[in-house]
Amino acid sequence: MAAASENSLEHISNAKRRRLDTNDSRHIAALILARGGSKGIPLKNIKMLAGVPLIGWVIRAALDSGVFHSVWVSTDHDEIERVARAWGAQVHRRSPEVSTDSSSSLDTIREFSRLNPGVDVICNIQATSPCLHPEDLKKAVECITKEGCDSVFSVVRRYPFRWQEVKNEVSQCTEPLNLDPAHRPRRQDWEGELCENGSFYFATKELVEKGLLQGGKMKYFEMKPEYSVDIDIDIDWPVAEQRVLRFGYFGKDKPEVVKLLLCNLSGGLTDGQIYISANGEEMVSINTRDQAGIDMLKKEGVKVILLEKDPIAKALADKLSKRMSCRILQDVDDKLKKVQELMEKKGLEWKEVAYLGNDEPDVKCLELAGLSAVPMDAPTVAHNHAKYICHNAAGHGAVREFAEHILLLKKKAKSQMEQDRICRNTF
């Protein structure tokens, strides 16, 4: 018997507040399939990619697109469910019948449709397409809502020269499938071919009920090649990570406006250990890479303030402050209150603040900050609310890594602003 979706459609997800304004009253739902039994990469769908769980990239794009009444993750795994909810999605707990190695994506989509009859249009978004952008979803859905299409799917333009496969061992001859070898076209003289990239498939429930994702009045949506990333094998991961850092969607707030980094001293800059000498002196260990990271931020105009919940010896605090060339605030019991006081004093908004925390008292700040991160060894409660999870541990390069992440996003945003300026001036 099929398992029911835990949340009914009466409960509209976070996407409601960002719903596209159209005259189409149909309920459009995003559905991300994320089975726990990946054969290639164990729990691939929640493996960290550039500091974000893989499904987090597409959940964020779906929510920020504003075109969905609800955004769902369909899974059979508890940990994937936890991550999906932490990133703002509802969860369809799929049945064992559609969770086997032989189950198709369409089997799961049909089960979801049957259990959620109020959904009129389903957009199946591939979890392994981390460079999906909200703008592509916005444009594609208009083919459904404004042009009356029954199905829309994403494609990318490729330029392959294809040849007939040789299956007869006796004959080694082959034939060209899409070119004349005597007149091989140059890339600029050939329009190429449109290939499905699997990023998304919009289909009406009527098509889904017939066992189809493509049919009726069909239209394709062409995506940029740099956004067409599909992770199939582990060797793709480093390449995909670099592609995501360059072309991925990082959220609505523009990272170039970050003016202040607030960082926990214990569990952020240091590993949280305090050493006590024979004569009672307190000592901590800092990593020169983290110090360099702070220096990098300051050169780019980002102020850095260290926060410490517990009091430390004045001599130690003074030496740390001098060594790191930044202010240290001690006895900070209420992190949120202290950060809000600092923001008010400096006239800053949350989108201008980056925050590196490491535990439960940091949760609200991690959620509200424009950019937020936790070290690799932070507790799960902190991981669930951070926008970036470092590969490095506290006291062992986490601050440097987050500093590089901040500066990379600032550089990317400035580059985009310059490109927009050139386009405006040109046209």
Side-chain angles (χ1 to χ4, degrees), residues 144-329:
I144 300 284
T145 59
K146 294 184 178 181
E147 299 179 28
C149 289
D150 301 299
S151 58
V152 182
F153 54 94
S154 58
V155 301
V156 64
R157 193 172 297 272
R158 305 288 189 199
Y159 298 84
F161 291 144
R162 294 184 291 107
W163 292 79
Q164 179 69 49
E165 181 181 357
V166 177
K167 295 184 178 181
N168 185 352
E169 295 182 1
V170 177
S171 173
Q172 295 300 314
C173 295
T174 184
E175 295 290 337
L177 294 177
N178 67 341
L179 79 152
D180 177 0
H183 301 90
R184 292 173 63 92
R186 298 181 304 168
R187 183 185 178 100
Q188 60 265 39
D189 297 330
W190 182 38
E191 293 184 353
E193 298 180 335
L194 294 176
C195 306
E196 292 184 27
N197 66 358
S199 285
F200 59 80
Y201 296 83
F202 283 88
T204 63
K205 69 176 180 181
E206 289 79 14
L207 279 178
V208 171
E209 288 170 358
K210 294 176 183 178
L212 299 171
L213 284 179
Q214 294 157 308
K217 183 179 178 181
M218 290 183 287
K219 194 167 185 178
Y220 64 78
F221 179 84
E222 185 175 351
M223 288 176 59
K224 295 179 180 179
E226 57 265 32
Y227 293 168
S228 295
V229 177
D230 182 15
I231 301 176
D232 284 327
I233 55 177
D234 202 18
I235 199 171
D236 290 345
W237 214 266
V239 176
E241 194 156 64
Q242 291 304 310
R243 183 80 70 87
V244 166
L245 287 172
R246 186 175 179 186
F247 298 114
Y249 172 71
F250 288 87
K252 289 185 173 182
D253 290 331
K254 294 184 179 296
E256 79 276 7
V257 301
V258 170
K259 298 177 181 177
L260 173 66
L261 168 63
L262 296 164
C263 173
N264 279 356
L265 176 57
S266 297
L269 180 64
T270 77
D271 61 7
Q273 298 186 77
I274 296 179
Y275 306 93
I276 302 177
S277 67
N279 59 3
E281 289 182 331
E282 293 183 352
M283 295 177 288
V284 295
S285 173
I286 58 173
N287 193 302
T288 55
R289 287 183 294 161
D290 292 327
Q291 183 178 3
I294 289 176
D295 290 340
M296 290 162 57
L297 288 173
K298 289 162 61 181
K299 286 179 182 178
E300 293 296 321
V302 180
K303 293 183 68 67
V304 180
I305 297 177
L306 301 174
L307 304 177
E308 177 57 47
K309 181 178 183 295
D310 301 311
I312 58 177
K314 184 179 184 303
L316 177 59
D318 290 344
K319 286 183 180 180
L320 275 172
S321 181
K322 183 177 180 181
R323 178 66 185 257
M324 307 308 295
S325 299
C326 56
R327 184 180 173 193
I328 298 177
L329 299 179

